[in-house]
Amino acid sequence: MSEAFSGFRPEAIDFLWQLRFNNNRDWFSAHKQTYLEALYRPLVAFSEEIFTPFAGRSGYCMKVSRIYRDARFAHAAPYKESLWLCIRRGETYWGEEPSLFFEITPEGYNYGFVLWGPRAAWMQAFRARLAAKPGEFLALCEDLRRKTGLALTGDRYKRQKPCPDARLAPWWNLKNLMAISRHPVDDGLYDTALPARVRETLSALDPLYAWCQGISANLSQT
């Protein structure tokens, strides 16, 4: 168990901005303690507060990113310029699974739901479920909008697929899914009430997460 979350500090954003222009091992080594004290440890404490309503539930695993890029692959810079946490199934690549997340960047912070890089089979199953139960999905999106003010969106395929139901047109040709609350650096980032606000939004997004996890579970059984 980490120390209790006491708020992010401006030093966290300062560190990320400086890292963007000094992304090398010498600079990072000289500033590693700042990374740990102002960014990484607070994010771990933050994650523990966020995960409270999801702990112990099947299909929910908290992951906190590290700043080091994967050494197995070549990168132009050795360190990431943002840090994040995500709630998801733990056994597969994060980009292929639905996730509830929080991210802190030099420009600000974002949180919500994302399915960043689903496999083609997943999106095919998504469209099949939309076509089979359009009312279920439309009610889910409306509940999401009403509770959070967020809309489910995503990037679109360049080649459009015929949509069988005009009500489903906004989502039929998406190639990934996201519902994200985006914020610039503001006083809210440094407020100790931030975990409660993020937790409230992620809890409201949980039905969408569970609905998408149902698709993943069905695919894993085929």
Side-chain angles (χ1 to χ4, degrees), residues 57 60 98 100 113 129 205-215:
R57 296 165 58 181
Y60 294 77
L100 300 171
F113 167 89
R129 188 165 180 179
L205 287 163
D206 186 39
L208 172 63
Y209 173 83
W211 188 87
C212 290
Q213 278 288 15
I215 295 176

Side-chain angles (χ1 to χ4, degrees), residues 64 73 78 108 118 139 149 163 172 186 215:
V64 179
F73 306 101
C163 179
W172 192 260
D186 58 14
I215 295 176

Side-chain angles (χ1 to χ4, degrees), residues 28-48:
F28 182 81
S29 295
H31 296 82
K32 184 175 180 178
Q33 199 62 28
T34 301
Y35 157 69
L36 292 172
E37 293 179 359
L39 191 57
Y40 182 69
R41 289 171 186 159
L43 186 64
V44 171
F46 183 85
S47 75
E48 292 173 354

Side-chain angles (χ1 to χ4, degrees), residues 114-127:
V114 68
L115 175 52
W116 183 251
R119 293 168 292 146
W122 199 99
M123 294 308 297
Q124 184 176 355
F126 168 75
R127 290 189 295 274

